[in-house]
Amino acid sequence: MLPPQIEPIYNVIYNQITWAFAIWKELKYLFSEKIRIDLINHCAPTYFSNMQRATLNEIQLVICRLTDPKESGRYENVSFYNLIELLKSIDDVGIANKIIDELNKENENAISPIRNRRNKLLVHLDYETIISTPILELTKLQIDKSLSAFNRSLNIISGHYLDTVVSCENIIVRNGIAGLLYFLRDGTRYRELMKKEEISLTDLTEGKFYGV
């Protein structure tokens, strides 16, 4: 079982990583096929553009929060580096060092660029970045590598204390974006049939949710 000193923070970190994987999986599914992109651009391009931006921002913030230092000023953070210090405090230095190694593997090319983008564009609008330099690029690979490093770090702990493996990346998202796309597809076809007068124009008013 997990030591009581680390269990609360481990559980929060686990939930944060699972959440990030879930919304990242949904976003990748949505934009992975041209037909899906064409459908959402036909139905509600502004909404889905805003949703994409908000989701990417949230994923970046999760990555940055979980790699924040143990403390920010007088406030304590829930982060891997706080967890690492707790592991050291119960003499599990070897486990702590393995997690540090996993995070360091992806720091330069994935985690650090996302943290830099967070600092300059998400929580602040850095003048030089906005006015004088090209916008800091965010890539799919940076997110994939960061989240994978987090999952591996969790497995160092779960394997040691629980003799089990966690697989946040394989989370099953139910009632998600796929269901919405099916409704958009069917609704688009319904509109096409109305235009062809194969369905009465008043038929729509008889639907359960017409007043929405």
Side-chain angles (χ1 to χ4, degrees):
M1 60 184 301
L2 291 172
Q5 297 93 329
I6 72 167
E7 185 174 9
I9 193 170
Y10 173 91
N11 289 337
V12 174
I13 290 174
Y14 172 84
N15 288 335
Q16 286 284 302
I17 295 170
T18 302
W19 160 247
F21 267 115
I23 60 177
W24 180 227
K25 185 175 185 177
E26 290 279 86
L27 195 67
K28 289 195 291 185
Y29 176 85
L30 179 61
F31 290 97
S32 62
E33 298 287 346
K34 183 179 182 300
I35 191 170
R36 295 173 192 150
I37 298 172
D38 290 343
L39 175 62
I40 62 178
N41 282 338
H42 175 76
C43 294
T46 301
Y47 168 78
F48 282 103
S49 176
N50 291 338
M51 185 272 283
Q52 179 188 33
R53 185 171 185 175
T55 303
L56 287 173
N57 286 349
E58 173 63 14
I59 293 168
Q60 290 175 87
L61 290 173
V62 170
I63 291 169
C64 293
R65 286 193 292 261
L66 294 184
T67 53
D68 274 340
K70 177 185 176 182
E71 296 175 344
S72 297
R74 60 190 178 91
Y75 297 101
E76 188 173 1
N77 296 317
V78 173
S79 73
F80 274 110
Y81 292 101
N82 193 344
L83 179 57
I84 286 165
E85 292 303 314
L86 289 172
L87 287 165
K88 290 179 179 179
S89 74
I90 58 175
D91 295 325
D92 274 331
V93 177
I95 300 299
N97 288 336
K98 286 181 180 180
I99 295 173
I100 292 172
D101 289 343
E102 283 297 341
L103 297 177
N104 284 343
K105 286 178 186 177
E106 307 299 349
N107 185 61
E108 182 177 354
N109 295 319
I111 297 172
S112 184
I114 291 175
R115 289 184 60 83
N116 189 40
R117 198 172 188 276
R118 185 272 302 263
N119 294 337
K120 293 182 178 295
L121 293 176
L122 296 185
V123 298
H124 305 285
L125 287 179
D126 179 70
Y127 181 87
E128 184 178 354
T129 301
I130 295 294
I131 303 299
S132 306
T133 61
I135 293 297
L136 300 173
E137 183 182 17
L138 174 69
T139 68
K140 175 179 176 291
L141 190 60
Q142 288 171 350
I143 295 175
D144 282 335
K145 285 189 170 185
S146 298
L147 294 181
S148 292
F150 292 173
N151 200 109
R152 293 195 302 270
S153 297
L154 286 183
N155 274 319
I156 291 170
I157 296 174
S158 65
H160 179 72
Y161 292 112
L162 305 173
D163 194 27
T164 189
V165 173
V166 297
S167 185
C168 299
E169 66 241 23
N170 292 325
I171 181 173
I172 297 174
V173 181
R174 303 187 188 280
N175 303 316
I177 195 65
L180 176 59
L181 289 176
Y182 296 150
F183 273 105
L184 293 177
R185 177 200 63 190
D186 295 348
T188 299
R189 179 56 179 161
Y190 191 92
R191 287 287 186 180
E192 291 171 349
L193 294 175
M194 286 178 65
K195 288 182 179 180
K196 294 179 180 179
E197 297 185 354
E198 295 181 22
I199 295 178
S200 169
L201 294 176
T202 61
D203 182 71
L204 189 64
T205 63
E206 298 176 9
K208 181 178 179 181
F209 301 107
Y210 178 72
V212 71

